[in-house]
Structure formats: C-alpha cells, structure tokens
Amino acid sequence: MVKPRIALLASSIHSERAIATLAQIAATEDIVGVVALRTLSLKTLLRKFDQLGSSSVISIARKKIGLSTSGEDTWQNPYHHRRLSLLGLGDLTRLDSVAAHYGVPLVKVKTINGPDSLNALRAWSPHLILYTGGGILRKPLLDIPGIGVLNAHAGELPRYRGASVVDWALLHGDVPAVSLHFIDTGIDTGRVLEIRPVPLRLGESLPEYRWRAEDATVTLLAEGANRPLPSMGALANGSVQSRQFYFIHDSFMPHVEAAFNQLQQQSSKAGGG
Amino acid sequence: MGYTTSRLTEELRQVELGRLPRAGVTAATDFVSSLRGRYRSTNAYTRTRVDSGVALSEVMRWVVRAQSPTGGISAYFSLTSGWAPDYPETTGYLIPTMFDYADFSGDTRFGHRATQAGEWLLRLQRDDGSFPAGFGGSDAEPSVFNTGQILFGLVRLWKETNDASFQSATHRAADWLLAVQDVDGAWRTWTYQKRCHVYYTMVAWALAEAGSSLGEPEFVDAAAANARWAIEQQLPNGRFQRYQLPYWPEFLHFIAYTHQGLLGTWAVTREPALFEPVADAAARTLRMFEISKTLPGALVPGTWEAEGNFECLTGMAQEALVWTVVGRELSDVRYLNAVLKINESIKARLKLTGPRTTRGAVPGSFPIWGRYLSMRYPNWAAKFLADSLMAEKHALIDPWNGFLPNG
C-alpha cells in the first residue's frame, strides 16, 4: 500500500501538541514538510500577556529558551513529555528540533493561509495534511491535499464544536470524547471519522484529565495518519452543522469541577476509570 | 429621549477638550486602553478581574450621587459641563432597578429613594396622563417614549407601595398611550420627529406590564399589536428597520431596546411569534460578540456591519439582559457564558476610584469620545449595567435553573 505524503501544520515551533504529533509519526510515515507560524508576533505576545499574565509568560519563555534546570519543567503537558521520552526523544523540546532529527523540512510563516505557506505546501504536494494548530484554514489551503486536512478535536462532534469543549461536556454531564474529523471551511463542521471517549479515572484531578484528553488528540491524529488511503478519500467531502461553544468563563469552574467529580464517582461505580 | 438630542447636540458644540484637564486625562487613559483593546485576547474576558458585586455597589452609589433632593435623577455627568438636569424618562425606569437593588443588597434606603423618584415624577404627569418630552419644562410636549419608560417605574411603585396615587398614575398613562396609538400598532403622534420607531417596543413592554398589573387586557393587546408591527420590520438577516434616527447612527442602545421591548412583551403575552425574532437576533449578536470579543457601538442600517470604531456600553449591558432571557428560555448556557464575559468587558471600562462624579459611572462610549453620549456618563448606562450584574448574580446562584437542559 502506498503511504500518503503527509504535511503538518503548527501554531508555532513551541507547540507541544505539534511536537508530540510529529514525534509520534515521523519515524513511520512519509512526512514531507511542516508549516509553523512564527512565534513572536506583537499580536501573539500581547494576547499571551493578556491571557496568561506577565509572570506566566516570562516563566514559559524561560523554559522555552532553555533557562530552566529540569527537562520536564519545559513542558506544560506532562503527557506530551512522557510520549517523547518513550520515543527516545525526551531531550527535544522544539518542533524544529524534531523536524531536523528526522530530516523533515520546516517552514516558518506569518499566516497559515498566506502565500509562503501555500507555496511550501504546493511544492510538497501532500496527499494529507495534519492540523495541530495555526488558525482557521481557508479554501485555497484546504484544496491542496488530495485527501483533505485532518484534525483531532478535543470534543465529541458534532455536539461540542468550538472551544473549552472538555469543560462544556463535563458541565452538561457528558464524558468528554475526542473526534477525528476532516476540516472544511466551517468551525469543526467537517465529516467525522471517529469519536473516542476519554474515560475518567478516580483520583485524577481536572487539570490532569484535561492534559490527558489533549494527549488523546495526538494519539487519534497520529492513528488517523496511518489509516488506509482509499477509505479516507471516500469520506473527504462532508460537513455537519450544530451549535458552537466558546471559551468558558472562570465563574463556571466550580460547577465544572463538581460535575467532573460526580462523573468520576459514577465512572468508578460503573467499573470504569 | 429623542427630544433631548437637539439639546445634547448644542452641548457637544460647546465642548473644548483642552480647557478641561479631567476630560483630557480621561480621554488619554481611554486612548491607551483602546490601543491595548485592539490586541484583545481570546481569553481577555473569561477571567474575573473586577468582582461583579463590587462593581454593582459602586454603580448604585453613583446613582445615589446623581439623584437630586427633589427625587429626580440627573441625566448624566459630563466631563465638560458637569451634572445635567434631572431626566424624567430614565428616572422612571431606574425605579425598578433601585427596588431590585434594595432586594438584592438588603439596603432598604434604595426603596425609599425609588419612592422619592416616583413622587417627583407624579408632579410632572400632565392632565391627560402623559409625561413630557425631554427634561420636562413647562413648554414641553407630551412624549410617547418617555411616558412608556416612566410607566415601568409607576407599575413597580404601585406593586411595592400599594399606593393608590401610583395606581391611578399608571392607569392614566397607559390610557393615554392607548389613545394615541395608531391602528397598525405603531405610534406616530407625540413621537420623536413625528415618526414611528421600531425601538418603541420598549413602550409596548411597559404597556404590557401595566396591563398585566392592572388586570386590563386591552393594554396587553395594544402592546402585542405594537410588537407584531415591529416584527414586520425585521429583515431576513435578523436586523430590524425603521429606527428612523436622522441625526444618529443605529446605536447598539436602540438596537438592544428593540430586542428588549419585544422580549419583555413576549414575557407577558407568551406569544411564541414574539420570541422567535428576538432569538434569531440574539443568536447573531452572541456570535458577533464571541468572535470579535465586543459588540460595535453602532451598525450600518440593515446590516450587522459596524459603523464607527467605538463601543456603546449601554447597549452591551442591554443585550446582555436579552441573552439572559433568551438563554434561559432555550436552555442554552452559552448565553449565560456570554453575559459573564460582556459584563467583564464593561466592568473593565469603569473607574472604581477617583472623583465622586465619575467613580462607579458608566461612560456612554468607549473610548469616551465615541459617538454615543460622547464625554458623558449617562444614568441609563448605570441602570442597564446594574440590571445586568444583578441578573448575572442571580443566574450564578442557581445557574442551571433553565440554562441547562436538565437544570
């Protein structure tokens, strides 16, 4: 069977999700290139300061440029770090390092839909593109791969489109799930290939669960890259519509936490977790 | 409110920013904030930076400072000309807010202040039951819109005090509104510019409340007639037409008035046909807010495109109130989420320290020199923000009371 030529999209060379995904597939799949957004635009920097606060941004920056003393401290998501360690790549903490390790070309661009990105992707001529971040994709990019652009969304589709979907699912009393789907011009509206629940485990905190759910998207996306080529082609053109969720206000957090604890207990009684 | 625009325009002509240091400092700090706002974070308003209870308390303290010994409440504080005269229209609909805050906070003095405001209004009521336009001078004409907004206060005063004078005033005002209403449900006599306006659904809502309280179905029917007329003005894209404001853009304040008035009338009549158009519009404003992290201060007529580059904070608070009702009715917690976030963005524009004249006051626009009530802190902005913060607090005490399917 012919392996599909695969390209990867990333929000930055520091994206842990992108690093973990590339590390997971680079040894076994035909990765033709990576497109990553440039990290330090003024807009991104101001957004991060506003989002995380100055002390958090400085702390993360210190880790990313190697001023922290412990390798594990560099990572926000411990599951991603563990994945790389298991793959023997525990010392690599940047996407360009992983790409270089496997001889995969990496292009840094200003915008994911811009000419630099499109030119690189067209030159590589991928059958499939894996999306790990970088913003909303426009039609010119979506039209490049012969099969489509795959994403692993951290929520059950079509019920939980958008943002903060793990928390929204918990609030509604649902066990969160991750979904493998094609990207179309809508927000999380492309055809769904697989939905995989992320069971709750007793004794696990909510932040730990969120990290594990995010890591589950890496597993699902990596497996998606390894699916047989013909079946993916047949499923590439579809879309669904449902309501979209948005970033959750922190006033809901006590209620999300309570719902999480309740689901954990239920899951434990049912023999899960 | 339309009657006062010519007077407000005159004031604007007198503005000379450089002569007044406070106006300059305020404008400068707003300029810096607005620059930062251009790089608005995805998560900017998901975190609680100012406690809503603290903000609410300061806003209501400002309302107290704006109230005269006579009971009337100053229309606004202007950075360039100081306190405006007492304003009957918005004093009227601040009354329910003051009673609500008395219940919320346990501070019964607000109930007394609401009653004082009502007694001041009774002295302004004309023999035919109407209330005057503008600031209510001796030569003022009667005003449909102002009578409607004052009617909110009268209805609540009667409920709270059981005082027959408020009941009588309510009935007389409602009778007059009925008498001057056209057959198709619109009002065109004693209206701003002698035209019909879709945002007069706020009058319909007040009339519906009066009818419900008095047990007079004809008032409710008249309100429903206006609401149906307003729905006929809705375009396929969810926007309404017939605002008919020749000197002003379609400010979010008036757009939200239309939504509120329809929703309030629906709440009394429970006619589904009155809810669905508002739900459609609310879904669009929700999405617009979540994508842009703000709502435009004004929209190009017939479209959802922004006109100008400013925020109308009054309108944002009003639309939050619309979302509260729509979200609960649809069991859609995303609306409550948006209420919390839009309230955060408004709270971020408040000054909770500093001079008594602006501490706790809500600017008409952000930046403060924006087109809506430029350089001023209107009392109705305080009213709607207070209402929205109280609605938020009530919703979070029991958030799943309607906002979740099984709540």
Side-chain angles (χ1 to χ4, degrees):
Chain A
M1 186 178 304
V2 174
K3 276 186 180 285
R5 296 163 58 81
I6 299 174
L8 189 86
L9 301 179
S11 59
S12 85
I13 59 170
H14 299 295
S15 163
E16 294 187 2
R17 188 163 175 247
I19 295 167
T21 303
L22 181 62
Q24 189 65 46
I25 62 176
T28 55
E29 307 303 326
D30 182 12
I31 310 301
V32 295
V34 176
V35 173
L37 293 180
R38 285 191 207 124
T39 312
L40 286 177
S41 71
L42 179 61
K43 193 169 180 176
T44 303
L45 199 59
L46 285 170
R47 185 174 68 238
K48 290 294 180 187
F49 269 108
D50 210 15
Q51 186 178 340
L52 302 172
S54 55
S55 56
S56 294
V57 168
I58 291 168
S59 172
I60 292 168
R62 282 171 54 86
K63 290 172 190 173
K64 295 299 181 189
I65 61 178
L67 291 180
S68 62
T69 53
S70 159
E72 188 161 331
D73 285 344
T74 307
W75 295 86
Q76 285 187 282
N77 187 332
Y79 288 92
H80 291 335
H81 182 245
R82 247 170 263 168
R83 182 186 293 272
L84 261 78
S85 297
L86 287 171
L87 291 168
L89 302 171
D91 290 339
L92 301 181
T93 59
R94 291 161 52 120
L95 188 62
D96 49 357
S97 305
V98 177
H101 180 82
Y102 287 104
V104 173
L106 183 143
V107 171
K108 290 184 199 173
V109 299
K110 191 177 175 187
T111 60
I112 208 74
N113 295 292
D116 292 346
S117 171
L118 297 180
N119 290 339
L121 289 168
R122 286 180 184 131
W124 296 330
S125 189
H127 296 110
L128 182 69
I129 295 176
L130 302 185
Y131 177 85
T132 67
I136 295 171
L137 304 182
R138 304 294 177 204
K139 200 165 184 308
L141 191 153
L142 294 172
D143 284 342
I144 291 174
I147 297 168
V149 181
L150 265 188
N151 179 42
H153 175 66
E156 180 191 331
L157 293 175
R159 286 186 69 196
Y160 293 105
R161 294 168 50 228
S164 301
V165 286
V166 170
D167 292 339
W168 285 121
L170 290 169
L171 205 58
H172 284 78
D174 296 326
V175 174
V178 293
S179 304
L180 184 69
H181 70 103
F182 281 108
I183 293 179
D184 62 9
T185 50
I187 305 294
D188 303 325
T189 52
R191 190 174 295 247
V192 180
L193 298 175
E194 181 180 344
I195 298 171
R196 188 177 295 177
V198 184
L200 280 72
R201 293 176 187 162
L202 207 58
E204 186 180 43
S205 72
L206 180 53
E208 287 169 348
Y209 177 77
R210 288 198 194 101
W211 290 136
R212 187 161 59 83
E214 200 207 35
D215 191 64
T217 67
V218 172
T219 301
L220 194 58
L221 191 60
E223 290 176 7
N226 197 26
R227 282 175 179 247
L229 199 62
S231 66
M232 295 166 96
L235 294 169
N237 297 308
S239 67
V240 293
Q241 295 293 337
S242 65
R243 62 182 187 175
Q244 181 178 348
F245 286 87
Y246 303 98
F247 287 101
I248 196 168
H249 191 273
D250 64 5
S251 291
F252 286 105
M253 282 306 118
H255 306 284
V256 173
E257 191 83 48
F260 173 73
N261 292 334
Q262 188 174 4
L263 279 169
Q264 262 187 332
Q265 297 300 322
Q266 286 171 4
S267 180
S268 163
K269 284 176 187 166
Chain B
M1 188 184 307
Y3 180 82
T4 68
T5 52
S6 57
R7 296 184 63 159
L8 296 178
T9 305
E10 280 182 36
E11 288 197 52
L12 281 172
R13 285 200 208 103
Q14 295 165 23
V15 168
E16 289 184 55
L17 190 63
R19 292 171 60 187
L20 292 163
R22 182 187 302 159
V25 169
T26 303
T29 55
D30 272 13
F31 177 69
V32 171
S33 296
S34 71
L35 282 180
R36 184 169 174 276
R38 292 184 193 280
Y39 296 94
R40 196 166 280 120
S41 158
T42 300
N43 287 354
Y45 304 128
T46 58
R47 292 187 287 152
T48 302
R49 296 167 193 252
V50 177
D51 178 77
S52 288
V54 169
L56 175 61
S57 173
E58 287 300 332
V59 167
M60 292 309 293
R61 284 183 194 182
W62 181 87
V63 170
V64 166
R65 289 193 288 273
Q67 189 172 31
S68 306
T70 58
I73 302 172
S74 171
Y76 54 79
F77 179 78
S78 166
L79 288 176
T80 56
S81 58
W83 289 107
D86 299 338
Y87 195 27
E89 174 205 327
T90 57
T91 297
Y93 67 26
L94 261 160
I95 289 168
T97 303
M98 288 195 280
F99 278 120
D100 287 342
Y101 186 68
D103 290 339
F104 179 86
S105 63
D107 188 342
T108 56
R109 290 176 297 178
F110 281 88
H112 299 318
R113 287 184 169 276
T115 305
Q116 269 185 302
E119 288 162 356
W120 176 71
L121 287 169
L122 287 185
R123 295 194 285 276
L124 299 177
Q125 191 170 27
R126 297 158 57 95
D127 292 340
D128 60 6
S130 68
F131 284 86
F135 292 104
S138 56
D139 58 343
E141 293 180 337
S143 163
V144 166
F145 194 79
N146 289 14
T147 301
Q149 307 322 295
I150 292 167
L151 192 54
F152 282 116
L154 296 176
V155 169
R156 187 61 180 270
L157 279 159
W158 176 43
K159 273 187 196 167
E160 295 284 343
T161 67
N162 214 28
D163 186 329
S165 62
F166 293 125
Q167 180 188 18
S168 168
T170 299
H171 213 297
R172 289 169 54 220
D175 275 334
W176 181 80
L177 287 172
L178 202 61
V180 299
Q181 187 181 28
D182 287 344
V183 171
D184 64 354
W187 282 282
R188 294 176 181 83
T189 313
W190 306 123
T191 58
Y192 176 57
Q193 297 256 307
K194 304 287 190 282
R195 298 182 186 191
C196 56
H197 305 278
V198 72
Y199 66 89
Y200 275 38
T201 53
M202 285 293 286
V203 180
W205 177 15
L207 201 51
E209 292 279 349
S212 176
S213 293
L214 293 166
E216 297 277 7
E218 60 177 350
F219 295 148
V220 178
D221 292 342
N226 177 261
R228 286 185 214 110
W229 173 84
I231 287 167
E232 289 170 7
Q233 315 310 316
Q234 191 176 35
L235 297 168
N237 68 359
R239 284 276 276 125
F240 287 85
Q241 39 186 10
R242 298 284 191 97
Y243 284 92
Q244 314 218 87
L245 300 163
Y247 303 124
W248 308 104
E250 286 181 12
F251 289 124
L252 182 63
H253 169 60
F254 294 105
I255 293 167
Y257 259 166
T258 306
H259 301 166
Q260 283 184 284
L262 278 172
L263 210 54
T265 307
W266 164 80
V268 175
T269 67
R270 306 305 288 191
E271 228 176 278
L274 301 187
F275 176 80
E276 286 147 14
V278 186
D280 177 14
R284 296 171 193 267
T285 55
L286 171 78
R287 181 170 171 77
M288 188 187 306
F289 172 71
E290 291 286 10
I291 302 249
S292 309
K293 310 300 178 288
T294 187
L295 288 175
L299 296 176
V300 173
T303 78
W304 293 101
E305 293 168 30
E307 182 171 334
N309 188 16
F310 66 99
E311 292 173 337
C312 169
L313 301 185
T314 313
M316 289 166 72
Q318 289 170 262
E319 197 65 9
L321 291 165
V322 171
W323 291 342
T324 305
V325 177
V326 169
R328 188 171 269 125
E329 181 65 16
L330 297 177
S331 295
D332 192 336
V333 72
R334 298 176 307 150
Y335 284 94
L336 178 56
N337 189 47
V339 168
L340 292 165
K341 291 195 277 188
I342 206 168
N343 282 348
E344 293 297 345
S345 69
I346 302 171
K347 284 186 287 178
R349 313 286 187 243
L350 301 184
K351 290 178 171 47
L352 299 181
T353 57
R356 289 163 51 83
T357 47
T358 53
R359 186 167 75 233
V362 184
S365 290
F366 182 82
I368 199 161
W369 62 83
R371 288 187 73 182
Y372 185 72
L373 269 295
S374 188
M375 308 302 286
R376 275 165 285 195
Y377 300 85
N379 73 24
W380 55 97
K383 175 236 168 19
F384 287 118
L385 179 60
D387 287 345
S388 184
L389 292 175
M390 283 190 279
E392 170 195 309
K393 285 289 190 182
H394 284 305
L396 286 174
I397 290 170
D398 188 6
W400 319 134
N401 183 11
F403 283 105
L404 283 177
N406 298 317

